């Protein structure tokens, strides 16, 4: 059984194309089941796939007819807010954000910062997968929040997504890094 809802937000700009293909490939090979929504951030956002208590691999087929144009730059904040709202309606929800470099913040990241601080009651978390090298101002803003996690790049985007899905679904064990602050200088 899935640990909670999984919401995937994919960048609708040019750097989102690799993430889009990787999500489709990773979903087509997963055995995971549960609740899934896939959004694309493009001039706001749009939902491109939805699975309710079913096999996540079906989402890859639904995404086929909804391929974005992958043009321009888009503010991811509205899509992340919608994904967070949906994922946090059940305990253990996860928002997976797949994107390129974020050299400019088009929207105000404070709404996401506040959600990460409060946990919206259910402790939904934001998992960040940056598919290309470059600056990441949003990640810098959120990196100290306990419900924010940058997914490490250990292989190709597809391999990293497959590993994430296996860990998320409980099919495989994974490592979680946790940062703690202490007032004790001896620690």
């Amino acid at each position: 059984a899935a640990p909670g809802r999984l919401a995937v937000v994919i960048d609708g700009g040019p750097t989102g194309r690799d993430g889009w293909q990787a999500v489709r490939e990773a979903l087509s090979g997963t055995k995971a089941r549960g609740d899934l929504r896939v959004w694309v951030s493009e001039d706001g956002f749009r939902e491109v796939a939805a699975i309710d208590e079913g096999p996540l691999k079906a989402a890859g087929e639904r995404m086929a007819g909804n391929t974005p144009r992958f043009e321009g730059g888009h503010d991811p904040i509205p899509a992340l807010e919608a994904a967070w709202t949906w994922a946090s309606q059940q305990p253990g929800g996860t928002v997976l954000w797949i994107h390129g470099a974020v050299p400019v913040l088009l929207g105000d990241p404070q709404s996401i910062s506040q959600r990460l601080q409060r946990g919206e009651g259910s402790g939904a978390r934001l998992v960040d997968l940056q598919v290309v090298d470059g600056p990441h101002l949003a990640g810098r803003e959120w990196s100290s929040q306990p419900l924010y996690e940058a997914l490490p790049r250990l292989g190709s985007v597809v391999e990293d997504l497959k590993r994430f899905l296996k860990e998320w679904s409980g099919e495989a064990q994974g490592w979680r890094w946790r940062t703690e602050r202490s007032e004790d200088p001896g620690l």
Side-chain angles (χ1 to χ4, degrees):
R5 290 179 165 180
L6 176 60
V8 179
V9 175
I10 304 170
D11 178 16
T15 59
R17 186 178 310 278
D18 290 341
W20 176 266
Q21 294 300 334
V23 167
R24 288 193 60 215
E25 187 174 333
L27 286 173
S28 69
T30 187
K31 297 175 186 175
R33 298 180 61 84
D35 293 342
L36 169 74
R37 296 289 184 273
V38 180
W39 284 278
V40 174
S41 62
E42 51 179 14
D43 296 333
F45 61 91
R46 79 183 158 99
E47 185 177 290
V48 294
I51 303 295
D52 293 317
E53 297 181 20
L56 300 191
K57 65 182 175 183
E61 299 161 7
R62 294 180 185 165
M63 290 171 65
N66 287 314
T67 303
R69 293 188 316 259
F70 299 109
E71 297 174 345
H74 304 281
D75 179 5
I77 301 299
L80 291 171
E81 289 172 340
W84 186 285
T85 298
W86 179 79
S88 66
Q89 290 176 358
Q90 289 182 0
T94 300
V95 176
L96 173 62
W97 179 31
I98 302 167
H99 61 91
V102 183
V104 176
L105 293 174
L106 298 174
D108 185 1
Q110 283 303 309
S111 66
I112 302 298
S113 295
Q114 290 172 359
R115 293 169 191 239
L116 290 168
Q117 289 168 0
R118 291 190 308 248
E120 292 288 313
S122 69
R125 66 187 175 122
L126 173 60
V127 178
D128 184 337
L129 176 59
Q130 184 171 343
V131 297
V132 296
D133 290 335
H136 187 3
L137 295 182
R140 191 176 308 149
E141 173 81 21
W142 301 327
S143 64
S144 65
Q145 302 301 326
L147 296 173
Y148 173 85
E149 174 185 342
L151 194 64
R153 292 300 314 273
L154 302 176
S156 69
V157 177
V158 173
E159 292 167 342
D160 292 341
L161 282 171
K162 286 180 178 181
R163 186 185 75 252
F164 167 79
L165 286 171
K166 284 182 178 184
E167 291 172 8
W168 173 81
S169 67
E171 189 179 334
Q173 291 185 342
W175 292 90
R176 285 247 170 89
W177 299 99
R178 186 174 75 197
T179 303
E180 293 183 11
R181 295 183 181 173
S182 173
E183 298 297 322
D184 184 354
L187 293 179

